[in-house]
Amino acid sequence: MQPWPDAGHSNPWVWLVGLHGGAGVSTLVHAMPRLAGDARRQLPAGGGGQSPFVVVVARNHSDGLVHAQDFARQAITGLIPASISVLGLVLVADAPVRPDSAVRQFTKVVSRAYPRAWQIPWITEWRSARPDPTAGPLPAPVTRLAQDLAQLTGCATSSQR
């Protein structure tokens, strides 16, 4: 993968793959710049020293969940290269309100198709400014995500690399 402006580290510990436009990948990369990189909605090759670790990202709404379900089906049927290790699914809230019961149920079903699933709530401050991990602590769900990814990929802390 070629580095892109604002795409995070050129060889991150984990690639974030947006399953659709507006999934929230670039925001998460800004929150975890030394840990995560934006794969620009493409699976990395996983060779040549490039990290094989992938986390897919979708909005937690019906369309995003359909994309996450489709990706899970592709992975289960062997359409994802063996050189890639899909660590899990990140679902990013699409609104400051709790999803309706149908979306919550669909979220449970889709999340079970992944080794791990994380949910990032609506973070109002991120509507007007990029996350800045140097300006203070990140919201707890983002901190937990970064800690989990650091542990899963062998990165001692999310500030390394």
Side-chain angles (χ1 to χ4, degrees):
M1 303 213 102
Q2 296 295 321
W4 292 74
D6 297 327
H9 197 282
S10 62
N11 189 19
W13 289 93
V14 63
W15 290 106
L16 301 183
V17 178
L19 296 178
H20 56 85
V25 169
S26 61
T27 301
L28 291 172
V29 168
H30 283 288
M32 307 179 292
R34 302 253 183 238
L35 177 64
D38 185 344
R40 299 291 176 174
R41 294 177 57 192
Q42 299 177 14
L43 284 175
Q50 187 178 65
S51 175
F53 301 117
V54 166
V55 172
V56 294
V57 182
R59 286 286 172 177
N60 195 18
H61 54 46
S62 59
D63 191 49
L65 291 166
V66 167
H67 286 287
Q69 187 177 51
D70 289 346
F71 185 90
R73 284 184 180 137
Q74 291 175 24
I76 290 167
T77 59
L79 296 176
I80 304 302
S83 60
I84 298 298
S85 177
V86 178
L87 300 177
L89 167 68
V90 174
L91 292 170
V92 179
D94 70 320
V97 297
R98 184 176 180 196
D100 65 35
S101 62
V103 170
R104 290 194 313 268
Q105 182 60 35
F106 195 17
T107 298
K108 289 179 187 177
V109 171
V110 172
S111 294
R112 282 186 229 141
Y114 288 86
R116 286 160 207 85
W118 299 270
Q119 291 197 30
I120 304 300
W122 182 263
I123 301 170
T124 301
E125 298 80 25
W126 289 3
R127 297 274 299 162
S128 59
R130 290 179 172 166
D132 182 0
T134 65
L138 294 169
V142 180
T143 299
R144 279 192 298 276
L145 171 63
Q147 291 169 341
D148 287 352
L149 294 178
Q151 181 181 19
L152 290 167
T153 61
C155 176
T157 68
S158 61
S159 63
Q160 286 188 349
R161 230 183 198 209

